[in-house]
Amino acid sequence: MSDAARARALGILSVLLFFVPLVAPLVQGVTLVYVLSLGWRGSLDRTSMILAASGAALGFVLFLATEYLFIV
Amino acid sequence: MDAPSSTPSFTRRAFVRTAAAAGIGGAYLGGAHLLLQDARWTPNLSFWVSRGRDPAGPPLRGEREADLAIIGGGVTGLSTALHALLRSPRLRVVLLEAHYVGFGATGRSGGVLGNGTEMGTPPGTGENVAQVIEIVDRFGIGCDLERAPETQLDPYRYAVGLKRTVLGLGGAIHEGSRVRSLEDGQTVTVRGDDFAVRAPKVIVAANGYTPRLGIGAARLFPAHTAAAVTAPLPREILRDIPDSILVMTSGEMYMWGRKAPGGRVLVGAGARYLYDNGLNYTGDGFLFPALHRTLVKSFPALAGHPFEHAWTGPMGCTTDQEPIIGTAGQSGNIVYCGGYTGHGIAMGTKAGSFLSDMLHGQSPPAWMLRPTQSLPGEPLRYIAINTVINMMNLGLYHMDKHV
């Protein structure tokens, strides 16, 4: 699996698992670190970077909403 | 390493700037809300208790022999003591409560009575409300009991009334007496910091606090829930509010509520498990605004009437949302009961009579002795319980109910 595909998969997982405590922020954190490291080296295309980072960010927002707005 | 594709990469400077801006913005928006605290929020101290607390009896000091030791001064423990003493007036009953009678889920509940459990009306629970009414009438318990159209009462006053009745029947109740450990044996020793009670039978009626005693942790867990009450409302607004409120939120979780004394509306909702059976919910700025928004969705006239008093605290739950009776210890003489999932006032009273029957050799209904899904240890416990709670909130998970 290429770096780009791995980053995109992590981004999707970050969203899909948003309601799983502990696991969700872990996956989102790993995604962010992965994207940051690839981005720092300039070895990730813009689309994959935006997809993965957005997935991590959206997943984290949804995770926080589930954790703190649990009366929905 | 993959070569960059046809789309151009970020420059390093643009990348760092964007990431830093997003991080700082997110931390500010999220952190500011997390740090908000609501001055009206008093953890564990319900509206009922805030109206005036009954003087607590002296804590237990020294050693004591008893025929029956009960841990927990909520409805279950008090009802067990009451029924045991009614059947065997000479029984030496010692009830130990860590804080004060009615401190736990009993005193924090809404006081709305219903037959059965969260999941329906299993055998033996069809007359739960009638039993509470009969106890209130028989012993003259002053607890603002409303019989119709909905049966509801002040749960704290009900617990205090049970306490006085048990004391009147010769039982001993020690508040401020936290149990630290149980030493198993033919005679169980219940130890606290300054006391030890030896008894051949022990009932653990601590509900959500039970796992902290190292008992029933695989079957019971504490879930924190929130409740709040408005200030007295104008008559014209109150007229349009039903006596009993039950509003489904987006998923299977629901908001419950009622009219409370003094022309108020009292509501509650939500469930959250804290890591390692945690009991101290520190709260945040999201909780009570969310509860008020949910209330206003159903009753828009309450938009300009914020909560006056709000509280949280743990209630006992099981994996199938039905209460259980279980045994612990090598001799099976430590019996625990709990997991009412918010339906504990009437069901806890009934459970007390089941436990008393057990002490006299009768078996409780088979469904209360059923095996339940075993909960794992941490961190899987935290992940599993809150994942299911989140899925229920999101409407992704449903449980089969009794018809």
Side-chain angles (χ1 to χ4, degrees):
Chain A
M1 189 184 269
S2 68
D3 287 345
R6 202 175 289 132
R8 290 181 188 206
L10 280 169
I12 292 166
L13 265 183
S14 296
V15 177
L16 287 181
L17 296 176
F18 78 90
F19 56 83
V20 184
L22 294 185
V23 175
L26 184 72
V27 172
Q28 289 148 6
V30 166
T31 305
L32 206 59
V33 169
Y34 191 61
V35 170
L36 281 171
S37 65
L38 292 180
W40 184 258
R41 285 178 291 186
S43 57
L44 190 64
D45 66 279
R46 181 177 292 190
T47 308
S48 299
M49 181 179 288
I50 289 171
L51 275 176
S54 310
L58 176 64
F60 191 60
V61 168
L62 290 173
F63 165 73
L64 286 179
T66 314
E67 288 291 299
Y68 292 103
L69 296 175
F70 61 89
I71 303 161
V72 289
Chain B
M1 181 70 61
D2 296 294
S5 63
S6 55
T7 40
S9 297
F10 278 132
T11 64
R12 188 172 293 180
R13 178 173 291 184
F15 176 78
V16 170
R17 195 186 296 147
T18 309
I24 292 167
Y28 173 75
L29 291 171
H33 277 84
L34 286 177
L35 291 173
L36 282 174
Q37 293 288 336
D38 192 326
R40 295 162 295 179
W41 175 59
T42 52
N44 295 317
L45 184 70
S46 72
F47 163 69
W48 309 111
V49 180
S50 74
R51 298 201 299 165
R53 237 180 77 185
D54 194 58
L60 183 59
R61 298 273 183 269
E63 304 206 347
R64 183 74 62 89
E65 301 285 329
D67 298 315
L68 170 64
I70 298 171
I71 303 169
V75 161
T76 308
L78 293 162
S79 173
T80 307
L82 171 67
H83 286 95
L85 286 164
L86 288 174
R87 285 186 72 154
S88 306
R90 302 175 77 169
L91 202 71
R92 292 174 301 165
V93 177
V94 174
L95 188 149
L96 303 161
E97 163 57 45
H99 297 274
Y100 51 84
V101 158
F103 169 85
T106 292
R108 297 184 211 119
S109 82
V112 182
L113 303 186
N115 289 321
T117 67
E118 163 76 2
M119 307 304 281
T121 314
T125 64
E127 303 293 327
N128 289 1
V129 175
Q131 187 190 32
V132 173
I133 293 173
E134 193 262 329
I135 288 172
V136 169
D137 288 342
R138 180 175 172 187
F139 298 106
I141 295 173
C143 56
D144 296 335
L145 175 67
E146 294 169 27
R147 295 160 203 263
E150 301 291 336
T151 313
Q152 42 198 25
L153 45 68
D154 175 337
Y156 175 66
R157 299 276 174 280
Y158 176 55
V160 169
L162 289 175
K163 167 186 153 183
R164 290 176 183 162
T165 307
V166 168
L167 291 172
L169 291 170
I173 295 178
H174 297 282
E175 296 167 87
S177 304
R178 182 184 295 279
V179 172
R180 298 287 183 192
S181 65
L182 283 89
E183 290 165 20
D184 194 12
Q186 288 293 326
T187 298
V188 180
T189 304
V190 181
R191 283 196 190 282
D193 290 333
D194 302 310
F195 65 86
V197 178
R198 290 186 184 79
K201 303 240 182 216
V202 174
I203 301 286
V204 181
N207 201 15
Y209 298 87
T210 308
R212 299 294 286 205
L213 289 169
I215 293 169
R219 307 183 70 199
L220 278 168
F221 64 91
H224 290 250
T225 188
V229 69
T230 65
L233 296 167
R235 197 176 295 243
E236 60 273 16
I237 289 181
L238 212 55
R239 200 170 38 226
D240 297 329
I241 310 280
D243 284 315
S244 181
I245 300 165
L246 186 62
V247 179
M248 301 304 288
T249 52
S250 71
E252 197 170 300
M253 305 300 254
Y254 57 80
M255 183 184 73
W256 53 266
R258 59 172 285 187
K259 280 181 189 166
R264 302 161 192 267
V265 169
L266 186 154
V267 289
R272 175 65 49 197
Y273 171 76
L274 303 185
Y275 199 85
D276 196 20
N277 301 302
L279 297 173
N280 298 312
Y281 179 50
T282 52
D284 56 68
F286 292 107
L287 180 59
F288 292 107
L291 186 56
H292 196 259
R293 272 199 305 276
T294 310
L295 178 65
V296 169
K297 263 188 224 166
S298 300
F299 305 104
L302 294 174
H305 298 276
F307 294 134
E308 190 179 72
H309 185 100
W311 64 99
T312 52
M315 60 180 174
C317 296
T318 58
T319 50
D320 59 7
Q321 302 195 43
E322 300 262 39
I324 49 165
I325 291 177
T327 54
Q330 289 175 346
S331 309
N333 51 357
I334 301 171
V335 178
Y336 61 90
C337 178
Y340 307 108
T341 318
H343 291 249
I345 300 298
M347 188 59 226
T349 305
K350 174 60 80 176
S353 60
F354 288 154
L355 291 166
S356 168
D357 291 345
M358 275 182 87
L359 296 168
H360 292 85
Q362 291 171 255
S363 188
W367 66 270
M368 285 206 81
L369 300 169
R370 74 199 180 281
T372 53
Q373 179 78 42
S374 242
L375 287 162
E378 300 293 6
L380 284 178
R381 183 182 177 90
Y382 177 84
I383 294 171
I385 294 171
N386 281 327
T387 298
V388 170
I389 289 173
N390 288 344
M391 288 175 79
M392 289 174 87
N393 264 324
L394 295 164
L396 301 172
Y397 191 95
H398 297 274
M399 301 186 85
D400 292 330
K401 299 202 174 199
H402 289 287
V403 179

